[in-house]
Amino acid sequence: MRKRCAKAPFQGASTALKIIRRIADFESPPDAKVGFVPTMGAFHEGHLELMRRAKGECGYCVVSLFVNPLQFGPNEDFSRYPRREETDLEMARSIGVNAVLSPSAEEMYAGIQTKVMIGGISELWEGELRPGHFDGVVTVVAKLFNIVRPHMAYFGEKDFQQCAVISKMAEDLNFRITLRFVETVREQDGLAMSSRNAYLDPANRTKAPQLYKSLLEAAGRIRTHPNDSAAIGEILESVRQTLTDTGFDVDYFALVDSRTLQPIERAGEYSRLIAAAKLGSTRLIDNVPL
Ligand code: AMP
């Protein structure tokens, strides 16, 4: 009888994925160019697009999967935030991600006495409505940058203020990392993909694309009166009203300078429309360039 050879487990076409739970165990190959994608998991096409970009541009892609307790307020959704690591790992594997860093909160924060604080650009909009949120974000991102030591790091424009906040933190703390901001990936009906969309009940899911539609409508109308601050004020007010009539509870809908996040009255080269609104208990954010 012929003896059967023992075979290595089938790995599919993609690269073997390393899963790292202890910070001390993290290392990248010494000659690798590392592209890093920080995430909180519950992956969708938006996350996968960041991973594709990192893999394509750098060759070695590291993803962190960590629901960061520091960036959630006491009445926010930390405990019910979607967690599905097995599916996430499969999805990361399908992109050819090389390593997923998935530490526990204990591993990240036990005994911590140092936090990063950011003022200025973090104090408006999301920062005003979610006190402490951006300090939690920059603390975890600074720690992850130091653990992973990437050449490039990838963030989604869906979280537009977060991109600006992380740029400022990286500049202020002299991280030598090139940051890449990736255009928002959307569902077919325009809704920006988000792990939190899973909270929408069917009735609110049908209303949700109105946020993006209103941003596009406002951008189109503002482009026809870029220097008319009174007209711009009226446009913003009328789209806010449309959102309220649709059932949104609007937190903000504003024209800002994308470099400073300060509200502006006239549109120019760096203008961006940003919005946040609740549908039931689900909070959606989105933005468009002008
Ligand atoms: P999160 O897991 O929600 O913290 O997101 C991880 C990264 O994915 C962040 O840089 C997000 O801005 C980015 N991201 C989330 N949703 C999208 C999207 N729809 N399109 C592009 N990037 C996204």
Side-chain angles (χ1 to χ4, degrees):
M1 212 169 76
R2 277 189 46 206
K3 206 172 158 196
R4 295 183 70 185
C5 302
K7 277 192 187 164
F10 178 64
Q11 304 265 340
S14 53
T15 332
L17 175 70
K18 276 204 238 171
I19 298 150
I20 299 141
R21 302 201 184 271
R22 294 183 58 86
I23 292 164
D25 293 340
F26 184 84
E27 55 177 7
S28 314
D31 50 355
K33 183 172 179 194
V34 177
F36 176 45
V37 182
T39 81
M40 298 205 297
F43 294 159
H44 49 67
E45 262 305 310
H47 295 110
L48 300 190
E49 186 55 26
L50 266 54
M51 295 175 205
R52 281 188 205 104
R53 288 282 297 273
K55 180 77 185 175
E57 253 180 323
C58 300
Y60 193 88
C61 174
V62 177
V63 172
S64 63
L65 201 171
F66 180 62
V67 184
N68 175 30
L70 280 194
Q71 69 188 69
F72 288 78
N75 299 316
E76 293 184 1
D77 55 344
F78 175 69
S79 55
R80 69 171 184 139
Y81 196 84
R83 290 165 173 86
R84 34 167 216 251
E85 194 185 76
E86 276 311 308
T87 320
D88 287 347
L89 294 177
E90 268 318 304
M91 291 167 88
R93 208 171 263 126
S94 76
I95 304 291
V97 169
N98 299 86
V100 170
L101 175 64
S102 179
S104 63
E106 175 78 4
E107 177 73 6
M108 285 293 274
Y109 292 130
I112 194 169
Q113 297 187 357
T114 307
K115 285 182 189 158
V116 184
M117 284 171 72
I118 178 157
I121 203 158
S122 78
E123 284 165 4
L124 298 147
W125 317 117
E126 292 301 294
E128 192 179 349
L129 291 156
R130 304 179 66 189
H133 168 67
F134 284 125
D135 289 347
V137 170
V138 290
T139 298
V140 80
V141 171
K143 279 171 71 72
L144 291 167
F145 280 179
N146 282 326
I147 296 164
V148 176
R149 296 178 173 267
H151 297 82
M152 324 260 282
Y154 295 77
F155 297 89
E157 279 189 346
K158 196 210 60 151
D159 300 285
F160 192 76
Q161 188 176 10
Q162 175 171 277
C163 293
V165 162
I166 288 168
S167 286
K168 194 74 188 91
M169 180 276 285
E171 180 194 343
D172 290 351
L173 300 186
N174 306 95
F175 280 103
R176 294 186 183 193
I177 297 172
T178 304
L179 304 181
R180 291 271 195 255
F181 302 117
V182 177
E183 217 176 289
T184 303
V185 178
R186 299 180 180 281
E187 302 286 356
Q188 278 195 338
D189 58 13
L191 175 65
M193 288 193 179
S194 164
S195 308
R196 289 190 167 102
N197 292 349
Y199 302 153
L200 291 166
D201 64 28
N204 282 334
R205 175 64 189 82
T206 58
K207 294 176 184 169
Q210 185 59 48
L211 185 60
Y212 180 53
K213 286 198 188 111
S214 295
L215 284 163
L216 289 181
E217 186 200 322
R221 288 170 62 190
I222 290 171
R223 269 186 222 111
T224 65
H225 307 85
N227 297 311
D228 185 341
S229 58
I232 291 174
E234 279 164 28
I235 293 164
L236 294 177
E237 197 39 55
S238 88
V239 286
R240 253 184 235 130
Q241 191 57 52
T242 306
L243 284 168
T244 307
D245 295 344
T246 312
F248 284 87
D249 181 4
V250 179
D251 282 342
Y252 57 81
F253 195 109
L255 181 66
V256 301
D257 183 314
S258 56
R259 297 162 299 178
T260 60
L261 270 299
Q262 290 292 332
I264 48 177
E265 293 193 342
R266 289 177 184 77
E269 196 184 343
Y270 296 101
S271 307
R272 194 108 189 165
L273 276 168
I274 60 169
K278 289 190 278 292
L279 262 180
S281 59
T282 311
R283 190 162 180 278
L284 304 175
I285 62 171
D286 205 344
N287 65 89
V288 295
L290 240 82

